[in-house]
Amino acid sequence: MFHLEEIKKVLQAEQKFRLRQALKAIYQQGIESWDELSVFSKDLREKLKKDISLEIKAKSYETSDKKTIKVVFDFGKNIEAVLMCHQGRNTVCVSTQIGCSMACDFCYSGKFGLERNLSEDEIILQVLYFNRLLKKENSRVSNVVFMGMGEPFANYNNVLGAIKILNDKELFNIGARHISVSTSGLVPGIKKLAKEKLQINLSVSLHASSDEVRDKIMPINKTYNIDTLLEATRNYIKQTRRRVMIEYVMLAGINDSPKDANELTKLLKEKLGDLFFVNIIKYNSTGEYESSPKNKIEVFKRILIDEGIDVVERYRFGKDIKAACGQLAKEENKK
Ligand code: SF4
């Protein structure tokens, strides 16, 4: 895999604009060989070819309906990203870490701890890979969500660096409003992001309406409990005037009763005011937990809607390619 630093090194003796030209060609035009960079002299192209391969090592898996493509990248260890083509949008869900230290009990990635942070380049390469695929159909990535393996705010600087490249008009040109970062509740990250003056979207994984339940399924709650998390979220909303998405995964018998729905409604209204909406997520079972049945999800949603809360339900993309977070990469690592 190539790194920005290597390209900078090869081009350091050249005029400054050459680096920008190279980056535009790689990120915006999606070139896969230095031969395609015709504005460079033959000598310079040969030099780059000798030192830096533009190949991205990855394996793709497509769902039967061809709407979801899951890709496992070889960054020393495997990580995964998913492309979801839906309602005219091409959304890529990227990973930010190899493994994760947050240890959410319902999550496959959380079972194995953190191996390392991904670099800015490694995050960007995930989007670039899909842009190259979509280019063949005259299309491109329209949205990026930081919801794959890892906690984005535990790798804050690299995630922010990647967002700036994705948002750069001359590079990926993905609008800030089409980029979303999802946190398990790392409060210092929420506070920091509020000061960045970016127009990106924030999602907060709440998944419970009481500390008792959240303590059990998300250990981070013992450091930043629901009160602290929602206080930081409210301040974020106040500072940015951006609507926040509250994520709630439906786990059978754990957090899916009408009582849970009523408590959630009360909590969110009391703590957040009205600039938020709730994303109800159907769970992709990993064995220990089961997804709530459809009728229970409907009752839960109805309670929220009747109380005036905006609710969306994320589609269950790619069940036949193991779209539960981290599952596929771990299986590839075992091989
Ligand atoms: S759900 Fe997200 S934050 Fe929690 S362990 Fe999994 S990858 Fe980490």
Side-chain angles (χ1 to χ4, degrees), residues 78-108:
N78 291 325
I79 66 104
E80 62 198 35
V82 186
L83 169 71
M84 297 161 278
C85 303
H86 186 69
Q87 292 179 341
R89 271 180 262 166
N90 297 320
T91 303
V92 172
C93 173
V94 295
S95 292
T96 54
Q97 297 182 302
I98 300 182
C100 183
S101 61
M102 296 297 135
C104 302
D105 206 30
F106 52 82
C107 170
Y108 198 81

Side-chain angles (χ1 to χ4, degrees), residues 17-63:
F17 68 90
R18 291 287 180 212
L19 177 63
R20 192 76 185 164
Q21 277 179 327
L23 295 184
K24 266 176 91 169
I26 297 167
Y27 295 148
Q28 192 192 66
Q29 294 152 27
I31 62 160
E32 296 186 40
S33 153
W34 292 111
D35 287 330
E36 295 174 63
L37 192 47
S38 52
V39 286
F40 278 18
S41 67
K42 192 162 186 295
D43 283 355
L44 189 51
R45 289 201 304 262
E46 289 304 320
K47 197 169 172 342
L48 284 158
K49 253 164 88 178
K50 192 170 106 336
D51 293 345
I52 303 162
S53 158
L54 291 179
E55 186 197 358
I56 303 175
K57 285 186 196 157
K59 253 188 188 175
S60 324
Y61 303 81
E62 207 170 347
T63 45

Side-chain angles (χ1 to χ4, degrees), residues 90 102 161 177 180 254 288 292 306 311:
N90 297 320
M102 296 297 135
R177 285 163 191 254
S180 305
I254 305 288
E288 280 170 56
S292 306
D306 286 349
V311 176

